[in-house]
């Protein structure tokens, strides 16, 4: 059974930092794309950051480049999203997701992913 369990969300002031964690079980995440997505109220689900299989590459949305970093800890089967210099517009529910490896995946597109976590809320106040 595949499980993705997010944690680490919370409320911070603008300029602050948070680190989200995604504990992965039931799949070999090194053989999958791993992504972080977010959805703000009234907005579409958007890709934030992604790791290519085995952490070979990363991808980021333009809105978070230079502020967010996706990484993995193989020993803990956990994927992280370090978020620095947070802005009020980063406020959203954040989801971790996994996509099976196959050619030509667009790693920031939600439809590419077939396993999802339950989400963790991030609120940034000005």
């Amino acid at each position: 059974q595949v499980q993705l369990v997010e944690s680490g969300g919370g409320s911070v002031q603008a300029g602050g930092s948070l680190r989200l964690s995604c504990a992965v079980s039931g799949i070999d995440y090194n053989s999958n794309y791993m992504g972080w997505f977010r959805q703000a109220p009234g907005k579409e689900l958007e890709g934030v950051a992604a790791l290519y299989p085995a952490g070979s590459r990363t991808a980021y949305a333009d809105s978070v480049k230079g502020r967010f970093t996706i990484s993995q800890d193989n020993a803990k089967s956990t994927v992280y999203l370090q978020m620095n210099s947070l802005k009020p517009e980063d406020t959203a529910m954040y989801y971790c997701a996994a996509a099976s490896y196959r050619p030509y995946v667009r790693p920031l597109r939600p439809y590419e992913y077939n396993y999802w976590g339950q989400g963790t809320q991030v609120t940034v106040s000005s």
Side-chain angles (χ1 to χ4, degrees):
Q1 182 181 358
V2 178
Q3 280 195 312
L4 306 176
V5 181
E6 301 97 334
S7 61
S11 297
V12 295
Q13 290 192 325
S17 298
L18 283 173
R19 188 177 77 160
L20 305 184
S21 300
C22 174
V24 183
S25 60
I27 57 171
D28 176 9
Y29 72 86
N30 270 312
S31 300
N32 285 262
Y33 291 84
M34 298 299 303
W36 283 98
F37 296 82
R38 66 186 182 187
Q39 188 167 30
K43 294 191 176 181
E44 291 186 354
L45 188 64
E46 66 167 334
V48 174
L51 268 174
Y52 284 65
S56 56
R57 288 177 60 187
T58 56
Y60 294 95
D62 288 343
S63 58
V64 306
K65 279 180 182 176
R67 300 189 298 122
F68 290 13
T69 303
I70 188 170
S71 63
Q72 63 186 48
D73 183 331
N74 291 333
K76 296 182 178 179
S77 296
T78 299
V79 178
Y80 301 100
L81 184 68
Q82 178 67 44
M83 306 185 296
N84 298 328
S85 302
L86 282 161
K87 304 175 181 180
E89 51 263 44
D90 295 318
T91 295
M93 184 71 80
Y94 283 71
Y95 299 92
C96 175
S100 303
Y101 173 77
R102 58 199 182 279
Y104 312 121
V105 167
R106 303 178 75 174
L108 293 179
R109 300 300 176 97
Y111 61 75
E112 299 279 18
Y113 289 76
N114 44 345
Y115 299 110
W116 292 83
Q118 82 289 349
T120 186
Q121 178 68 37
V122 172
T123 302
V124 184
S125 58
S126 57

